[in-house]
């Protein structure tokens, strides 16, 4: 990989993993449009590790409380708000894990076409805009109940379709459940941690079985840049969300979908 490709894809992964615009769509399309060779599985693992490190570090205090209270709930000390949130993150991950195991081959072959990405980019972008407009936006993430967990968890499983955006669809579901914009985003980010762990674990297993040599310099640079861009993305997104809402991302998705249709239809 050339240096410009390493830098571009690492920054792109870090930014788009947490914005509601689909990281998978951008990582599939940008190399195709620019004529770059496939970045390879090892690089995908590295940038996933970078984004995972960013979200864990950003929410390190919340995660510490959630883990402690979750362990306390196992020991019979009752369910605190942080323990319930930890359980919600765990159970919310089950649908995407099952869907990934059942439909992995279909997702990685027939669903990776530019036209599928264009359709999901536009369709789920419109749904995000409607949810942002129609949602009551009165609840925080600690108020999430089991019906909310089921709704958001199933929505996250749908995000396996390229172009949907895991962050976008889980925030959409959170808004439809009555969460505030910030709460929907925060729960989506917390929910990303086990998902990135699962995806990174599967990719690492495939990587270990691959005979392809590893460029450790490229991987290290990719992981570092994706971690930096992901951390900054989370920080400024949460700072600006109450003021700008989701409409700029809806407009971006509609424009991106239109461009894709013009190019590939």
């Amino acid at each position: 990989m050339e240096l410009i490709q390493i830098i571009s894809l690492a920054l792109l992964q870090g930014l788009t993993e947490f914005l509601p615009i689909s990281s998978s769509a951008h990582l599939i399309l940008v190399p195709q449009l620019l004529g770059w060779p496939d970045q390879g599985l090892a690089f995908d693992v590295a940038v996933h590790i970078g984004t995972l490190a960013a979200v864990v570090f950003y929410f390190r205090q919340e995660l510490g409380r959630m883990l402690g209270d979750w362990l306390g709930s196992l020991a019979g000390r009752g369910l605190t708000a942080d323990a319930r949130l930890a359980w919600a993150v765990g159970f919310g991950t089950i649908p995407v894990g099952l869907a990934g195991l059942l439909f992995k081959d279909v997702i990685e072959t027939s669903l990776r076409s530019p036209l599928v990405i264009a359709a999901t980019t536009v369709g789920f972008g419109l749904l995000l805009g409607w949810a942002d407009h129609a949602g009551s936006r009165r609840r925080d993430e600690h108020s999430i109940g089991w019906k909310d967990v089921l709704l958001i968890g199933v929505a996250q499983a749908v995000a396996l379709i390229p172009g949907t955006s895991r962050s976008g669809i889980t925030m959409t579901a959170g808004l439809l459940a009555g969460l505030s914009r910030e709460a929907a985003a925060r729960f989506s980010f917390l929910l990303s941690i086990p998902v990135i762990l699962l995806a990174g674990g599967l990719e690492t297993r495939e990587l270990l079985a691959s005979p392809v040599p590893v460029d450790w310099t490229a991987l290290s640079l990719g992981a570092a840049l994706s971690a930096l861009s992901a951390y900054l993305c989370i920080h400024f997104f949460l700072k600006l969300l109450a003021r700008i809402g989701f409409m700029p991302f809806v407009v971006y998705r509609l424009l991106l979908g239109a461009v894709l249709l013009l190019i590939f239809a």
Side-chain angles (χ1 to χ4, degrees), residues 68-88:
D69 287 4
W70 178 76
L71 291 173
S73 72
L74 291 178
R77 293 198 293 269
L79 279 175
T80 65
D82 283 317
R84 286 195 300 271
L85 186 58
W87 281 109

Side-chain angles (χ1 to χ4, degrees), residues 132-197:
D132 192 32
H133 173 74
S136 62
R137 304 202 299 266
R138 296 176 180 174
R139 302 165 54 201
D140 68 15
E141 65 270 29
H142 289 95
S143 70
I144 288 175
W146 298 117
K147 290 182 180 179
D148 306 320
V149 171
L150 179 61
L151 172 65
I152 299 171
V154 171
Q156 183 168 240
V158 174
L160 291 171
I161 303 172
T164 301
S165 171
R166 191 210 62 82
S167 294
I169 194 67
T170 52
M171 292 178 198
T172 298
L175 291 169
L176 292 175
L179 298 182
S180 69
R181 288 167 174 163
E182 297 89 341
R186 289 174 68 86
F187 187 68
S188 173
F189 295 155
L190 291 171
L191 202 58
S192 74
I193 295 172
V195 172
I196 297 175
L197 275 172

Side-chain angles (χ1 to χ4, degrees), residues 54 57 67 78 105 113 145 148 161 164 172 182 196 208 217 226 236:
F57 184 73
L67 178 59
D105 292 338
S113 77
D148 306 320
I161 303 172
T164 301
T172 298
E182 297 89 341
I196 297 175
L208 292 174
T217 301
S226 65
F236 287 107

Side-chain angles (χ1 to χ4, degrees), residues 10-203:
L11 294 176
L12 189 66
Q13 166 66 22
L15 290 172
T16 59
E17 179 67 39
F18 298 111
L19 293 179
I21 56 176
S22 180
S23 61
S24 62
H26 287 78
L27 290 178
I28 291 170
L29 292 171
V30 168
Q32 289 186 11
L33 294 174
L34 296 179
W36 287 342
D38 184 86
Q39 61 268 24
L41 183 60
F43 189 80
D44 286 347
V45 172
V47 294
H48 271 103
I49 291 173
T51 53
L52 176 63
V55 70
V56 168
F57 184 73
Y58 189 89
F59 289 102
R60 61 193 182 280
Q61 295 181 348
E62 290 92 333
L63 290 171
R65 292 195 301 268
M66 288 166 61
L67 178 59
D69 287 4
W70 178 76
L71 291 173
S73 72
L74 291 178
R77 293 198 293 269
L79 279 175
T80 65
D82 283 317
R84 286 195 300 271
L85 186 58
W87 281 109
V89 169
F91 281 110
T93 306
I94 293 174
V96 71
L98 293 176
L101 291 174
L102 292 173
F103 303 111
K104 182 175 183 291
D105 292 338
V106 175
I107 293 164
E108 292 184 349
T109 53
S110 57
L111 293 182
R112 289 175 70 89
S113 77
L115 291 180
V116 169
I117 293 173
T120 53
T121 296
V122 171
F124 288 109
L126 291 172
L127 183 60
L128 173 62
W130 179 76
D132 192 32
H133 173 74
S136 62
R137 304 202 299 266
R138 296 176 180 174
R139 302 165 54 201
D140 68 15
E141 65 270 29
H142 289 95
S143 70
I144 288 175
W146 298 117
K147 290 182 180 179
D148 306 320
V149 171
L150 179 61
L151 172 65
I152 299 171
V154 171
Q156 183 168 240
V158 174
L160 291 171
I161 303 172
T164 301
S165 171
R166 191 210 62 82
S167 294
I169 194 67
T170 52
M171 292 178 198
T172 298
L175 291 169
L176 292 175
L179 298 182
S180 69
R181 288 167 174 163
E182 297 89 341
R186 289 174 68 86
F187 187 68
S188 173
F189 295 155
L190 291 171
L191 202 58
S192 74
I193 295 172
V195 172
I196 297 175
L197 275 172
L198 287 172
L202 289 174
E203 291 173 343

